[in-house]
């Protein structure tokens, strides 16, 4: 709605969509009384059906009381909800709705019958340069059957800032529409500082690099699963182009980082000062479900991380026990006992590796999945916030239309004919903005419903696959553990 609203304030990011309402200018027009919590209700802003147009269709039209002359004292009571369209436009509404329904059905059918596949691998992390100017690059390999891609298999090299740049571009294009854009992996200043200062492979933080590589791979595959995002030219360019334009302002301490921080503060203030009294039961229930899911996933993620740390500690303790047992076997004079202790040390070393494998399964299969969905839930909340923003824009347009109509009535009563054309033009302009705001609010509401349905479907599928994979890894680990102890049992019984 770039043509319908004022430019966003400097408080927001330069790349933010022009549909965002400028807080200071809204305060000047005093539609919300920014600074105090403003209650906005969906019921107040919905246009009522025009009884006169319905009666006209029946041939029993009654006088329209709204069109009677208004005295000056009654100008302030102009009903902003009386925004009914001419009967010709009303007759077009069913056809528009049918067209939208057909389009939605076609999109859903296309998703169900989608035979295209895409598999993206992020491998071979490589450090380029030395010192604080160094950076990591990853090899991104793509296999796809989609006809929009030039080749079925492509391989490119990308640095971390390229991934962040891709996310910023997708976010700026689709978030304001209500799309759920997967969040990019988080920055880690400490981890990258260790990478930059490390000299040689022995000083490179392998765990940090492996975790980042896995997170980048999951991020790209999540974007590729979205039928709209994967068709975006920027996404295709990211996977195919040999060289990308340098991503700007992606560093944590850059000007872009400061702008992102300021924008987040501005968005927070907007959400605190602008509230919607939700009358749509579906959205009310979904928002409560999302909040509950967010809290439960955070608790579960914290527990899994604690389990991961404890398994790592258990692995270290097992390794120490194996080492001590081996030293004891060397000091033992009794032959069979010494041999049994030596075998016990070997078994404990094998068990140490099993504990490490279980710890990796805890982290990469469950903990990282939970972390991804905690980030996705924030993206879901962001889409809900964009709906609130669209509604506030609509309400602002309605309030401005009321003021313009009041001003027009006053000019008519004062017989100031020279100012009437401009006032009438302003009324028409704001009527158009009200219609546009209502249309945008309806569109973003419908799109969010479809996005939530896709989110729920993918969430169930992802957790099902992760739980099965986790259980299989645990069962394999326990079977190996039993096998090792069964192999040691005859040696223990042989001690004379």
């Amino acid at each position: 709605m770039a043509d319908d609203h004022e430019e966003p304030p400097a408080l927001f990011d330069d790349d933010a969509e022009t549909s965002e309402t400028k807080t200071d200018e809204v305060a000047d027009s005093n539609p919300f009384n920014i600074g105090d919590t403003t209650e906005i209700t969906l019921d107040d802003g919905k246009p009522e059906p025009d009884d006169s147009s319905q009666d006209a269709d029946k041939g029993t039209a009654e006088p329209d009381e709204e069109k009677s002359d208004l005295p000056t004292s009654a100008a302030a009571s102009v009903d902003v909800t009386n925004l009914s369209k001419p009967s010709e436009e009303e007759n077009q509404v069913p056809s528009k709705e049918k067209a939208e329904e057909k389009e939605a059905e076609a999109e859903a059918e296309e998703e169900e019958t989608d035979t295209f596949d895409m598999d993206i691998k992020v491998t071979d992390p490589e450090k380029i340069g030395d010192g604080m100017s160094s950076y990591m690059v990853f090899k991104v390999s793509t296999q796809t059957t989609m006809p929009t891609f030039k080749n079925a298999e492509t391989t490119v090299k990308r640095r971390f800032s390229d991934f962040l740049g891709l996310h910023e571009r997708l976010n700026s294009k689709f978030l304001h529409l209500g799309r759920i854009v997967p969040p990019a992996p988080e920055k880690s200043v400490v981890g990258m500082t260790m990478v930059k200062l490390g000299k040689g492979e022995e000083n490179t933080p392998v765990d940090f690099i492996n975790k980042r590589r896995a997170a980048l791979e999951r991020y790209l595959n999540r974007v590729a699963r979205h039928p709209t995002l994967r068709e975006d030219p920027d996404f295709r360019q990211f996977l195919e182009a040999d060289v990308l334009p340098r991503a700007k302002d992606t560093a944590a301490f850059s000007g872009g980082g400061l702008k992102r921080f300021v924008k987040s503060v501005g968005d927070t203030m907007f959400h605190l000062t602008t509230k919607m009294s939700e009358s749509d039961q579906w959205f009310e229930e979904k928002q409560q479900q999302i909040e509950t899911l967010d809290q439960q996933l955070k608790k579960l993620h914290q527990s899994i991380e604690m389990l991961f740390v404890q398994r790592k500690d258990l692995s270290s303790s097992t390794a120490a026990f194996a080492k001590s047992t081996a030293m004891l076997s060397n000091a033992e004079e009794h032959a069979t006992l010494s041999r049994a202790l030596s075998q016990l040390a070997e078994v404990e070393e094998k068990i140490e590796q099993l504990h490490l494998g279980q710890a990796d399964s805890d982290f990469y299969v469950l903990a990282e999945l939970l972390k991804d969905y905690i980030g996705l839930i924030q993206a879901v909340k962001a889409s809900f916030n964009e709906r609130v923003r669209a509604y506030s824009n609509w309400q602002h347009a309605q309030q401005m239309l009321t003021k313009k109509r009041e001003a027009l009535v006053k000019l008519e009563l004062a017989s100031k004919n020279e100012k009437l054309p401009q006032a009438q033009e302003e009324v028409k302009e704001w009527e158009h903005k009200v219609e546009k705001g209502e249309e945008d609010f309806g569109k973003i509401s419908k799109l969010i419903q479809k996005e939530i349905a896709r989110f729920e479907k993918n969430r169930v599928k992802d957790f099902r696959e992760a739980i099965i994979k986790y259980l299989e890894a645990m069962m394999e680990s326990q079977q190996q553990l039993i096998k090792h102890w069964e192999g040691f049992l005859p040696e223990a019984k042989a001690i004379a």
Side-chain angles (χ1 to χ4, degrees), residues 95 147 199 352 393 432 476:
S95 61
K199 294 183 179 180
E352 174 202 357
N393 292 341
H432 173 72
E476 177 66 22

Side-chain angles (χ1 to χ4, degrees), residues 112-130:
E112 292 178 357
T113 59
D114 184 10
T115 58
F116 301 125
D117 57 41
M118 180 180 295
D119 182 52
I120 304 175
K121 298 292 184 182
V122 178
T123 57
D124 300 343
E126 179 184 359
K127 182 178 178 181
I128 305 298
D130 294 319

